[in-house]
Coordinates of all heavy atoms in Angstrom, one line a residue:
Chain R
P141 N -22.5 2.5 -6.4 CA -22.1 1.3 -7.1 C -22.9 1.1 -8.4 O -22.4 0.5 -9.4 CB -22.3 0.2 -6.1 CG -22.1 0.9 -4.8 CD -22.7 2.3 -4.9
A142 N -24.1 1.7 -8.4 CA -24.9 1.5 -9.7 C -24.3 2.3 -10.8 O -24.3 1.8 -12.0 CB -26.4 2.0 -9.4
I143 N -23.7 3.4 -10.5 CA -23.0 4.2 -11.6 C -21.8 3.5 -12.0 O -21.4 3.5 -13.2 CB -22.7 5.6 -11.0 CG1 -24.0 6.3 -10.5 CG2 -22.0 6.5 -12.1 CD1 -25.2 6.2 -11.4
V144 N -21.0 3.0 -11.0 CA -19.8 2.2 -11.3 C -20.2 1.0 -12.2 O -19.5 0.7 -13.2 CB -19.1 1.7 -10.0 CG1 -18.0 0.8 -10.3 CG2 -18.6 3.0 -9.2
A145 N -21.3 0.4 -11.9 CA -21.8 -0.8 -12.7 C -22.2 -0.4 -14.1 O -22.0 -1.2 -15.0 CB -23.0 -1.4 -12.0
K146 N -22.7 0.8 -14.3 CA -23.0 1.3 -15.6 C -21.8 1.5 -16.5 O -21.8 1.2 -17.7 CB -23.9 2.6 -15.5 CG -24.3 3.2 -16.8 CD -25.3 2.4 -17.6 CE -25.6 3.0 -18.9 NZ -26.8 2.3 -19.6
V147 N -20.8 2.2 -15.9 CA -19.6 2.5 -16.6 C -18.7 1.3 -16.8 O -18.1 1.2 -17.9 CB -18.8 3.6 -15.8 CG1 -17.5 3.9 -16.5 CG2 -19.6 4.9 -15.7
L148 N -18.6 0.4 -15.8 CA -17.7 -0.7 -15.9 C -18.5 -2.0 -16.1 O -18.7 -2.8 -15.2 CB -16.9 -0.9 -14.6 CG -16.0 0.4 -14.2 CD1 -15.3 0.1 -12.9 CD2 -15.0 0.7 -15.3
K149 N -19.1 -2.2 -17.3 CA -19.9 -3.3 -17.6 C -19.2 -4.6 -17.2 O -18.0 -4.8 -17.6 CB -20.2 -3.3 -19.1 CG -21.4 -4.2 -19.4 CD -21.8 -4.0 -20.9 CE -22.7 -5.0 -21.4 NZ -23.2 -4.8 -22.8
G150 N -19.9 -5.5 -16.4 CA -19.3 -6.8 -16.0 C -18.7 -6.8 -14.6 O -18.4 -7.8 -14.1
V151 N -18.7 -5.6 -14.0 CA -18.2 -5.5 -12.6 C -19.2 -6.1 -11.6 O -20.4 -6.1 -11.8 CB -17.9 -4.0 -12.2 CG1 -19.2 -3.2 -12.1 CG2 -17.0 -3.9 -11.0
S152 N -18.6 -6.6 -10.5 CA -19.5 -7.1 -9.4 C -19.5 -6.1 -8.3 O -18.5 -5.6 -7.8 CB -18.9 -8.4 -8.8 OG -19.0 -9.5 -9.6
V153 N -20.7 -5.7 -7.9 CA -20.9 -4.6 -6.9 C -22.1 -5.0 -6.0 O -22.8 -6.0 -6.2 CB -21.3 -3.3 -7.5 CG1 -20.2 -2.8 -8.5 CG2 -22.6 -3.3 -8.3
T154 N -22.2 -4.2 -4.9 CA -23.4 -4.4 -4.0 C -24.0 -3.0 -3.8 O -23.3 -2.0 -3.7 CB -23.0 -5.0 -2.7 OG1 -24.3 -5.3 -2.0 CG2 -22.1 -4.1 -1.8
I155 N -25.4 -3.0 -3.7 CA -26.1 -1.8 -3.2 C -26.9 -2.3 -2.0 O -27.9 -1.7 -1.6 CB -27.0 -1.1 -4.2 CG1 -27.8 -2.2 -5.0 CG2 -26.1 -0.4 -5.2 CD1 -29.1 -2.6 -4.3
G156 N -26.6 -3.5 -1.4 CA -27.3 -4.0 -0.3 C -28.3 -5.1 -0.7 O -28.0 -6.1 -1.2
Q157 N -29.7 -4.7 -0.6 CA -30.7 -5.7 -0.8 C -31.9 -5.2 -1.6 O -32.9 -6.0 -1.7 CB -31.2 -6.2 0.6 CG -30.0 -6.8 1.5 CD -30.4 -7.1 2.9 OE1 -31.6 -7.2 3.2 NE2 -29.4 -7.4 3.7
D158 N -31.8 -4.0 -2.1 CA -33.0 -3.5 -2.9 C -33.1 -4.2 -4.2 O -32.2 -4.1 -5.1 CB -32.8 -2.0 -3.1 CG -33.9 -1.4 -3.8 OD1 -35.0 -1.2 -3.2 OD2 -33.8 -1.1 -5.0
K159 N -34.2 -4.9 -4.4 CA -34.4 -5.8 -5.6 C -34.4 -5.0 -6.9 O -33.8 -5.4 -7.9 CB -35.6 -6.6 -5.5 CG -35.5 -7.8 -4.5 CD -36.7 -8.6 -4.4 CE -36.5 -9.6 -3.3 NZ -37.8 -10.3 -2.9
D160 N -35.1 -3.8 -6.9 CA -35.2 -3.1 -8.2 C -33.8 -2.6 -8.6 O -33.5 -2.6 -9.8 CB -36.1 -1.9 -8.0 CG -37.6 -2.3 -7.9 OD1 -37.9 -3.5 -8.2 OD2 -38.4 -1.5 -7.4
T161 N -33.1 -2.0 -7.7 CA -31.7 -1.5 -8.0 C -30.8 -2.6 -8.4 O -30.0 -2.5 -9.4 CB -31.1 -0.7 -6.8 OG1 -32.1 0.2 -6.4 CG2 -29.9 0.0 -7.3
A162 N -30.9 -3.8 -7.7 CA -30.1 -4.9 -8.1 C -30.4 -5.4 -9.5 O -29.5 -5.7 -10.3 CB -30.3 -6.0 -7.0
Q163 N -31.7 -5.4 -9.8 CA -32.1 -5.9 -11.2 C -31.6 -4.9 -12.2 O -31.1 -5.3 -13.3 CB -33.6 -5.9 -11.3 CG -34.2 -7.2 -10.7 CD -35.7 -7.3 -10.8 OE1 -36.4 -6.3 -11.2 NE2 -36.3 -8.4 -10.3
A164 N -31.6 -3.6 -11.9 CA -31.1 -2.6 -12.9 C -29.6 -2.8 -13.1 O -29.2 -2.7 -14.2 CB -31.4 -1.2 -12.3
I165 N -28.9 -3.1 -12.1 CA -27.5 -3.4 -12.2 C -27.2 -4.6 -13.1 O -26.3 -4.6 -14.0 CB -26.8 -3.6 -10.8 CG1 -26.7 -2.2 -10.1 CG2 -25.5 -4.3 -10.9 CD1 -26.4 -2.2 -8.6
E166 N -28.0 -5.6 -12.9 CA -27.9 -6.9 -13.7 C -28.2 -6.5 -15.2 O -27.6 -7.0 -16.1 CB -28.8 -8.0 -13.2 CG -28.5 -8.4 -11.8 CD -27.4 -9.5 -11.7 OE1 -27.0 -10.0 -12.7 OE2 -26.8 -9.7 -10.5
K167 N -29.3 -5.7 -15.4 CA -29.7 -5.3 -16.8 C -28.6 -4.5 -17.5 O -28.5 -4.5 -18.7 CB -30.9 -4.5 -16.7 CG -32.2 -5.3 -16.7 CD -33.4 -4.4 -17.0 CE -34.7 -5.2 -16.7 NZ -35.9 -4.3 -16.5
M168 N -27.8 -3.8 -16.7 CA -26.6 -3.1 -17.3 C -25.5 -4.0 -17.7 O -24.5 -3.5 -18.3 CB -26.1 -2.1 -16.3 CG -27.0 -0.9 -15.9 SD -26.2 -0.1 -14.4 CE -27.5 1.1 -14.1
G169 N -25.6 -5.3 -17.4 CA -24.6 -6.2 -17.7 C -23.5 -6.4 -16.6 O -22.5 -7.1 -16.8
S170 N -23.8 -5.9 -15.4 CA -22.9 -6.1 -14.3 C -23.6 -7.1 -13.3 O -24.7 -7.6 -13.5 CB -22.6 -4.8 -13.7 OG -21.9 -4.0 -14.6
K171 N -22.9 -7.4 -12.2 CA -23.3 -8.4 -11.3 C -23.6 -7.7 -9.9 O -22.8 -6.9 -9.5 CB -22.3 -9.5 -11.1 CG -22.1 -10.4 -12.3 CD -20.8 -11.1 -12.3 CE -20.1 -10.9 -13.7 NZ -18.6 -11.1 -13.6
H172 N -24.7 -8.2 -9.3 CA -25.0 -7.7 -7.9 C -24.9 -8.8 -6.9 O -25.4 -9.9 -7.1 CB -26.4 -7.1 -7.9 CG -26.7 -6.5 -6.5 ND1 -27.4 -7.2 -5.5 CD2 -26.3 -5.3 -6.0 CE1 -27.4 -6.5 -4.4 NE2 -26.7 -5.3 -4.7
E173 N -24.3 -8.5 -5.8 CA -24.2 -9.4 -4.6 C -25.0 -8.8 -3.4 O -24.7 -7.6 -3.1 CB -22.8 -9.7 -4.3 CG -22.0 -10.4 -5.4 CD -20.6 -10.7 -5.0 OE1 -20.3 -10.9 -3.8 OE2 -19.7 -10.7 -5.9
I174 N -25.8 -9.6 -2.8 CA -26.6 -9.1 -1.6 C -25.6 -9.0 -0.4 O -24.8 -9.9 -0.2 CB -27.7 -10.1 -1.3 CG1 -28.8 -10.0 -2.4 CG2 -28.3 -9.8 0.1 CD1 -29.9 -11.0 -2.3
T175 N -25.7 -7.9 0.3 CA -24.9 -7.7 1.5 C -25.7 -7.1 2.6 O -26.8 -6.6 2.4 CB -23.7 -6.7 1.2 OG1 -24.3 -5.5 0.6 CG2 -22.7 -7.3 0.4
N176 N -25.1 -7.1 3.8 CA -25.7 -6.5 5.0 C -24.8 -5.3 5.5 O -23.8 -5.1 4.9 CB -26.0 -7.5 6.1 CG -27.2 -7.2 6.9 OD1 -27.5 -6.0 7.1 ND2 -27.9 -8.2 7.3
H177 N -25.2 -4.7 6.6 CA -24.4 -3.5 7.1 C -22.9 -3.8 7.2 O -22.5 -4.8 7.8 CB -24.9 -3.2 8.5 CG -26.4 -2.8 8.6 ND1 -26.8 -1.7 7.9 CD2 -27.4 -3.4 9.2 CE1 -28.1 -1.6 8.2 NE2 -28.5 -2.6 8.9
G178 N -22.2 -2.9 6.7 CA -20.7 -2.9 6.9 C -20.0 -3.9 5.9 O -18.8 -3.9 5.9
E179 N -20.7 -4.7 5.2 CA -20.1 -5.7 4.3 C -19.6 -5.0 3.0 O -20.3 -4.0 2.5 CB -21.1 -6.8 4.0 CG -21.3 -7.7 5.3 CD -22.3 -8.8 5.0 OE1 -22.9 -8.9 3.9 OE2 -22.5 -9.6 6.0
V180 N -18.6 -5.5 2.5 CA -17.9 -5.0 1.3 C -17.8 -6.0 0.2 O -17.4 -7.2 0.5 CB -16.5 -4.4 1.6 CG1 -15.8 -3.9 0.4 CG2 -16.6 -3.3 2.7
V181 N -18.2 -5.7 -1.0 CA -18.0 -6.6 -2.2 C -16.8 -6.0 -3.0 O -16.7 -4.9 -3.3 CB -19.2 -6.6 -3.1 CG1 -18.9 -7.2 -4.5 CG2 -20.4 -7.4 -2.4
I182 N -15.8 -6.9 -3.1 CA -14.6 -6.5 -3.9 C -14.6 -7.2 -5.2 O -14.8 -8.4 -5.3 CB -13.3 -7.0 -3.0 CG1 -13.3 -6.1 -1.7 CG2 -12.1 -6.8 -3.8 CD1 -12.3 -6.6 -0.7
D183 N -14.3 -6.4 -6.2 CA -14.1 -7.0 -7.6 C -12.6 -6.8 -7.9 O -12.1 -5.7 -8.1 CB -15.0 -6.3 -8.6 CG -14.8 -6.9 -10.0 OD1 -13.7 -7.1 -10.5 OD2 -15.9 -7.2 -10.6
K184 N -11.9 -7.9 -7.9 CA -10.4 -7.8 -8.0 C -10.0 -7.4 -9.4 O -8.9 -6.9 -9.6 CB -9.7 -9.1 -7.6 CG -9.8 -9.3 -6.1 CD -9.1 -10.6 -5.6 CE -9.2 -10.7 -4.1 NZ -8.7 -12.0 -3.6
T185 N -10.8 -7.8 -10.4 CA -10.5 -7.5 -11.8 C -10.5 -6.0 -12.0 O -9.6 -5.4 -12.6 CB -11.5 -8.1 -12.8 OG1 -11.5 -9.5 -12.5 CG2 -11.0 -7.9 -14.2
F186 N -11.6 -5.3 -11.6 CA -11.7 -3.9 -11.8 C -11.2 -3.1 -10.7 O -11.1 -1.9 -10.8 CB -13.2 -3.5 -12.0 CG -13.8 -4.0 -13.3 CD1 -14.6 -5.1 -13.4 CD2 -13.6 -3.2 -14.5 CE1 -15.1 -5.5 -14.7 CE2 -14.1 -3.6 -15.7 CZ -14.9 -4.7 -15.8
K187 N -10.8 -3.8 -9.6 CA -10.3 -3.1 -8.4 C -11.4 -2.2 -7.8 O -11.1 -1.0 -7.6 CB -9.0 -2.4 -8.6 CG -7.8 -3.3 -8.8 CD -6.5 -2.5 -8.7 CE -5.3 -3.3 -8.8 NZ -4.1 -2.5 -8.6
T188 N -12.6 -2.7 -7.6 CA -13.6 -1.9 -7.0 C -14.0 -2.5 -5.7 O -14.0 -3.7 -5.5 CB -14.9 -1.8 -7.9 OG1 -15.4 -3.1 -8.1 CG2 -14.6 -1.1 -9.2
A189 N -14.4 -1.7 -4.7 CA -15.0 -2.1 -3.4 C -16.2 -1.3 -3.2 O -16.2 -0.1 -3.3 CB -13.9 -1.9 -2.3
T190 N -17.3 -2.0 -2.9 CA -18.6 -1.3 -2.7 C -19.3 -1.8 -1.4 O -19.1 -2.9 -1.0 CB -19.5 -1.6 -3.9 OG1 -19.6 -3.0 -4.2 CG2 -19.0 -0.9 -5.2
T191 N -20.2 -0.9 -0.9 CA -20.8 -1.2 0.4 C -22.2 -0.5 0.4 O -22.3 0.6 -0.1 CB -19.9 -0.8 1.6 OG1 -20.4 -1.4 2.8 CG2 -19.8 0.7 1.8

Side-chain angles (χ1 to χ4, degrees):
Chain R
I143 306 311
V144 172
K146 178 72 185 184
V147 175
L148 304 178
K149 200 173 164 176
V151 70
S152 288
V153 300
T154 186
I155 49 82
Q157 305 174 10
D158 181 75
K159 283 181 188 165
D160 289 347
T161 311
Q163 278 178 359
I165 286 168
E166 299 275 347
K167 273 190 189 163
M168 290 168 183
S170 293
K171 291 160 231 156
H172 183 264
E173 295 180 33
I174 290 170
T175 50
N176 213 326
H177 298 298
E179 292 180 351
V180 175
V181 167
I182 294 170
D183 185 308
K184 289 184 179 173
T185 307
F186 288 100
K187 288 195 178 181
T188 61
T190 50
T191 194

